[in-house]
Amino acid sequence: MYARTLEDVSKEYGRNGPINVPLFTTAEREWETCRHYIDQEVLKRDKTHCPSCGKEPLVRSSDAIVKLRRLSSAGKVHNPENERTMEQPQARFGNLVIKSDTEVENFRQRIYNKVSTVRNYISFETTRFDMLDYDMINHNFITKKKQMCGGSAFKAAREDSNEQKKYDETGLVVSSCKHCVVPYAINMFKGESWTHTAFMHNEGMKSNAKFFCYDVVCQYWKWMKTKVARHFPEYRNLTSEMTGILPIMHKNAHQLPCKILWNPRWTTGMGLTGGEEHEQVFSKLYLYAYVLKHMAKHSKKGNQTRHSKTREIVGNP
């Protein structure tokens, strides 16, 4: 429709001839790529950096958007061997926002090799959360059905996830600052799991964030502290140096102890930050869900990066 509109404008001003849509699309991509490299290599601009947050952002809020899927059949018309694979296609913007699939999978597999996903054992270390954790759970073991808090109606990540053969990519995990700038994101090839969240949590630590906001942070924090940190000492600072909080809306679906312990309004240093900033990002990305699921892998990654890398994602100047 955009190309047809340009044709009508051209005819109105006396220029004849239809617009070559494939050539127009290629030219637009080359122009976007050229602008990106001018900003990155010549002007040295970091599009993923939030000037308001500076070098020490206050919070990273993370969640998965499952509507940004890619069908396993997408791209087979032009590339029949385009099967599910972890190989990295060459995207126009590289790994600027969306991290390397291989890097993410290596991180997740490293945790799975040492951390059992069959049953969660809750240890009784001397922390202020242990007795409340036990009171809310009522026994020492958690099954997958218990990996939720109270009567929560929100769907969130679990310790492990199931494969969905219909889709090659099942969604995108996005992390944003309190000003809705997206510094990084990762692809999902199964359902959302806590290892995806752990990767984003680790990236937040690298960026010097003080708080980590997640929909079921009460359950995730226990898993990270009692299982992952026990096998990986290098990740202990994720829970010792950062503070977990619940998003201001999602906390209403949790039990009363969680509403108190993980409430952003009652957390020193949080101010009026709500932790729901990633939902504003999702409201923009939802618009591209139908188109992205039919794209080839490298095209999908390039378009997601283009719409995620700047503050324009929520309409800010």
Side-chain angles (χ1 to χ4, degrees), residues 8-63:
D8 292 340
V9 173
S10 298
K11 291 178 181 178
E12 183 178 345
Y13 284 89
R15 294 188 295 271
N16 297 321
I19 293 177
N20 187 320
V21 176
L23 183 61
F24 181 84
T25 302
T26 302
E28 188 269 342
R29 290 177 177 176
E30 293 294 335
W31 176 70
E32 284 279 357
T33 306
C34 182
R35 283 207 319 169
H36 163 68
Y37 281 106
I38 289 175
D39 286 340
Q40 180 175 276
E41 304 297 337
V42 180
L43 301 178
K44 303 298 181 182
R45 292 175 180 170
D46 185 359
K47 292 289 190 70
T48 64
H49 173 71
C50 176
S52 299
C53 289
K55 296 182 179 180
E56 295 185 358
L58 179 68
V59 64
R60 287 285 186 257
S61 58
S62 180
D63 199 6

Side-chain angles (χ1 to χ4, degrees), residues 10 20 50 56 59 77 119 149 158 161 170 177 264 282:
S10 298
N20 187 320
C50 176
E56 295 185 358
V59 64
V77 175
R119 307 175 87 182
C149 180
R158 293 183 173 181
S161 56
T170 57
C177 71
F282 292 169

Side-chain angles (χ1 to χ4, degrees), residues 122-159:
I122 303 301
S123 64
F124 292 93
E125 299 176 358
T126 55
T127 65
R128 64 191 180 101
F129 305 103
D130 286 337
M131 288 307 296
L132 282 172
D133 291 341
Y134 181 75
D135 290 341
M136 288 185 288
I137 296 167
N138 268 343
H139 47 70
N140 291 340
F141 296 98
I142 304 177
T143 62
K144 286 186 177 181
K145 292 182 180 180
K146 284 292 184 179
Q147 290 177 13
M148 57 185 293
C149 180
S152 175
F154 298 111
K155 290 185 177 180
R158 293 183 173 181
E159 186 178 359

Side-chain angles (χ1 to χ4, degrees), residues 73-90:
S73 60
K76 285 187 177 180
V77 175
H78 302 289
N79 187 12
E81 64 274 11
N82 185 22
E83 300 291 343
R84 184 180 298 234
T85 175
M86 291 306 300
E87 294 181 2
Q88 285 295 107
Q90 186 63 35

Side-chain angles (χ1 to χ4, degrees), residues 220-238:
Y220 164 76
W221 217 256
K222 289 195 297 283
W223 175 79
M224 176 60 70
K225 179 179 285 188
T226 61
K227 300 191 71 175
V228 178
R230 182 171 57 184
H231 295 285
F232 302 97
E234 63 270 27
Y235 296 146
R236 290 176 181 172
N237 59 345
L238 296 182

